[in-house]
Amino acid sequence: MLSALTDAFGERASVAQAVREHHGRDESPFDPQLPDAVVFARSTEDVQTIVRLCSQYNVPIIPYGNGSSLEGHLLAVQGGVSIDLSEMNRVLSINAEDLTVTVEPGISRKQLNEALRDTGLFFPIDPGADASIGGMSATRASGTNAVRYGTMRENVLSLTVVLADGRVIKTGTRARKSSAGYDLTRLFAGSEGTLGVITEITVRLYPQPEAFSAAVCAFPSMGDAVRAVIETIQIGVPIARVEFVDALAIRSINRHSNLTLREAPTLFFEFHGTEAGVKEQAELVQELAAQNGGEGFE
Ligand SMILES: Cc1cc2nc3c(=O)[nH]c(=O)nc-3n(C[C@H](O)[C@H](O)[C@H](O)COP(=O)(O)OP(=O)(O)OC[C@H]3O[C@@H](n4cnc5c(N)ncnc54)[C@H](O)[C@@H]3O)c2cc1C
């Protein structure tokens, strides 16, 4: 198997200890478990070649995006081959009229937004880390922007996937209106590399907001903060982000970053829209926060 991989990929197939160590861990607290080899794929055909060999030799496969997952996804518990997709990082087509973009899986969300900068569009899903779009599709990632823009579940429209036997399938289309049979896109989004290797993804885009603003507000209790958020969403304020941080975490943040935030349950908000819209959203949220005991809305 290893000599077949080396024949096909040369130096792009590595058994070097450092490379295997890098690919046998993620951001979880678990001890690394190393794959036997790492292959750097550059195309769907490369992935097919690796997958067919793994199928022939009955070897486990672990697709590798950016390694930012938190639950031990990448640990090679039975050894096998890690398929590193970071060199598949091209934007394949920007369809500005349809508000979609088709990319290779290794592109990171920041790279994608950099490529979109001059189009007036952006990709809003933000899990904190600079994850790959393939990894985010595979984990059905969410993040702080989910309140307004949803998660990968709502934003992945179509996938190209190499199945475990090397066949390539395409799920879904760019069309918003579709009722053609099983929703395979939703099956693969969140399958965490267990059903196939995603090699192309079409995701939704959104117009870049004209204005952004942010706010922070402390509350007497977690319940008060939660009620403020529920009421904000119930009256339809289109907040983009909202993140709750409890008093203990605020204390840690203060100590770590030398800040002087009030050590109380706290909400952080972000508003997207026109200048006037953002101002109105912030004012409404300030009012609702005050009604729920919010103090020091800034
Ligand atoms: C500080 C921090 C904050 C985070 N916050 C959030 C958050 O708010 N919400 C959230 O959802 N996540 C969060 N995460 C977790 C992480 O960013 C996401 O899970 C992200 O989607 C992983 O992407 P990745 O490219 O790093 O994938 P990897 O970590 O490389 O891989 C993740 C999984 O997807 C599989 N995979 C990767 N690429 C493919 C592919 N092309 N085809 C098939 N399978 C593939 C892998 O085999 C693995 O099982 C956070 C992580 C950090 C470090």
Side-chain angles (χ1 to χ4, degrees):
M1 164 98 193
L2 278 175
S3 65
L5 278 178
T6 311
D7 287 349
F9 295 99
E11 287 189 349
R12 284 196 284 135
S14 175
V15 291
Q17 180 76 10
V19 177
R20 289 166 52 226
E21 269 172 15
H22 179 73
H23 289 79
R25 60 154 59 102
D26 50 23
E27 295 286 335
S28 67
F30 306 118
D31 290 336
Q33 300 208 27
L34 311 196
D36 296 297
V38 178
V39 186
F40 293 83
R42 288 189 182 151
S43 64
T44 298
E45 293 71 31
D46 279 356
V47 174
Q48 276 184 292
T49 305
I50 304 163
V51 166
R52 285 201 178 114
L53 280 168
C54 288
S55 169
Q56 184 184 338
Y57 289 93
N58 206 20
V59 167
I61 300 164
I62 304 153
Y64 187 97
N66 245 352
S68 73
S69 47
L70 300 168
E71 289 115 3
H73 295 69
L74 295 168
L75 275 50
V77 289
Q78 297 176 40
V81 173
S82 170
I83 306 182
D84 186 309
L85 297 149
S86 60
E87 294 183 19
M88 290 179 71
N89 62 357
R90 287 179 306 158
V91 173
L92 299 174
S93 62
I94 299 174
N95 309 296
E97 303 82 3
D98 294 345
L99 298 174
T100 68
V101 65
T102 301
V103 297
E104 291 185 321
I107 191 167
S108 77
R109 63 177 184 84
K110 285 186 184 164
Q111 286 173 333
L112 174 57
N113 277 322
E114 193 55 41
L116 292 170
R117 204 151 53 138
D118 297 332
T119 65
L121 303 174
F122 84 123
F123 175 69
I125 314 298
D126 173 2
D130 191 21
S132 71
I133 302 298
M136 288 173 63
S137 305
T139 58
R140 210 200 288 118
S142 58
T144 47
N145 264 331
V147 201
R148 172 139 179 197
Y149 301 98
T151 69
M152 289 305 273
R153 186 164 67 120
E154 290 80 29
N155 287 287
V156 175
L157 296 174
S158 161
L159 298 168
T160 300
V161 184
V162 179
L163 300 180
D165 61 1
R167 268 179 303 162
V168 176
I169 62 161
K170 197 164 162 46
T171 73
T173 69
R174 287 196 286 130
R176 294 225 165 179
K177 207 172 154 198
S178 167
S179 58
Y182 295 119
D183 190 350
L184 294 179
T185 307
R186 295 293 169 300
L187 180 64
F188 281 96
S191 64
E192 301 183 340
T194 59
L195 298 179
V197 185
I198 300 165
T199 58
E200 281 182 24
I201 304 125
T202 301
V203 290
R204 281 187 212 283
L205 299 176
Y206 296 80
Q208 280 170 20
E210 177 190 316
F212 290 80
S213 79
V216 55
C217 185
F219 288 83
S221 73
M222 183 197 287
D224 295 315
V226 170
R227 252 189 317 280
V229 174
I230 291 173
E231 288 173 15
T232 300
I233 291 170
Q234 276 176 344
I235 71 159
V237 182
I239 44 171
R241 298 184 202 250
V242 57
E243 194 86 339
F244 172 76
V245 183
D246 71 9
L248 186 61
I250 293 282
R251 186 181 313 159
S252 309
I253 292 169
N254 279 343
R255 285 168 72 174
H256 181 267
S257 304
N258 274 332
L259 297 178
T260 51
L261 294 167
R262 187 191 307 219
E263 288 180 11
T266 301
L267 288 174
F268 292 86
F269 297 95
E270 193 171 280
F271 310 105
H272 294 177
T274 58
E275 295 285 353
V278 156
K279 188 165 173 284
E280 189 189 31
Q281 289 177 46
E283 282 167 2
L284 273 167
V285 170
Q286 180 167 12
E287 227 172 87
L288 292 170
Q291 283 168 21
N292 286 286
E295 292 162 359
F297 186 97
E298 264 181 65

